[in-house]
Amino acid sequence: MSRRKRLGQHYLVDGGIVSKIIEIAAIQENERVFEIGPGRGSMTLELSRRTRKMEAYEIDRQNYLMLRSKLGDRVKLHLGDAFESEPEFDVLVSSLPYSMSSTFVEWLSKRDYDRAVVVLQEEFVRKIVSPPGTKDYRALSAISQISSSVQKMETVNRSSFEPQPRVNSRIAVIRSRRRLDDEVISMIKRLFSLRRRRLAGVAREFGLKTDSRWLEERILSIPPEEVYRITTQLLGR
């Protein structure tokens, strides 16, 4: 298997979609912009024309070297994994590798930012906005909805990428609501590992006294904000 396939790289080559993403991002000149995985730079140059403060991480060395010669000092470009970094930004823009979508949601939930405009697999977007009680409502749904609001925008046909993925994507606008930390994220995951059990039983197991009106409901039916309240109680906050 090639490194590119292993990384899940599908390059966005549709200029119309690139223009739409940049339009939606509505970047102001003084805003700090962060791009994850610029790839061949289909968005990077246009983004760098709209801000004086742009940073990007590219994990593929070949792409990194090409971009560095193309962009010069317009962008603070790093060779490495963005999800191991601690950047400061106002706006994030990215067409993300499908394999890194879950990692991205958790990483983003721990950041201070204003908005993110990202291209994600359409099915994945459905999962992170899934309401309580549905089959796709999982820990990741709760983490996403506790930390942010997600607005679904245009569908991106798979023909907009090279090589073409098997499924369509969607532009999503993510706006920060609150910043989470590793302890909270870990506890949410622990709760959802028991997602089919009733809250009353889970609370007893965890030694938690709670006044939640959801005691007789299964974890998978509890709304995100109540999940957050229960999580903070479990952590003694």
Side-chain angles (χ1 to χ4, degrees), residues 142-192:
I143 291 166
S144 174
Q145 293 171 47
I146 289 166
S147 65
S148 67
S149 62
V150 180
Q151 182 181 5
K152 296 189 290 185
M153 306 296 283
E154 280 84 352
T155 296
V156 181
N157 192 279
R158 65 193 191 95
S159 62
S160 297
F161 296 90
E162 182 8 76
Q164 287 189 24
R166 295 181 179 178
V167 295
N168 291 337
S169 299
R170 186 178 285 274
I171 301 171
V173 179
I174 304 172
R175 295 189 179 274
S176 178
R177 295 185 64 232
R178 64 164 64 88
R179 184 176 181 176
L180 305 183
D181 59 36
D182 287 328
E183 273 193 326
V184 169
I185 292 169
S186 179
M187 185 58 74
I188 292 170
K189 288 180 172 181
R190 188 177 172 193
L191 278 174
F192 274 83

Side-chain angles (χ1 to χ4, degrees), residues 137 142 146-147 178-181 184 188 191 222-235 237:
Y137 183 61
I146 289 166
S147 65
R178 64 164 64 88
R179 184 176 181 176
L180 305 183
D181 59 36
V184 169
I188 292 170
L191 278 174
I222 300 175
E225 281 302 307
E226 186 66 8
V227 168
Y228 180 67
R229 191 172 81 91
I230 294 164
T231 295
T232 56
Q233 288 181 332
L234 286 168
L235 293 171
R237 297 185 182 180

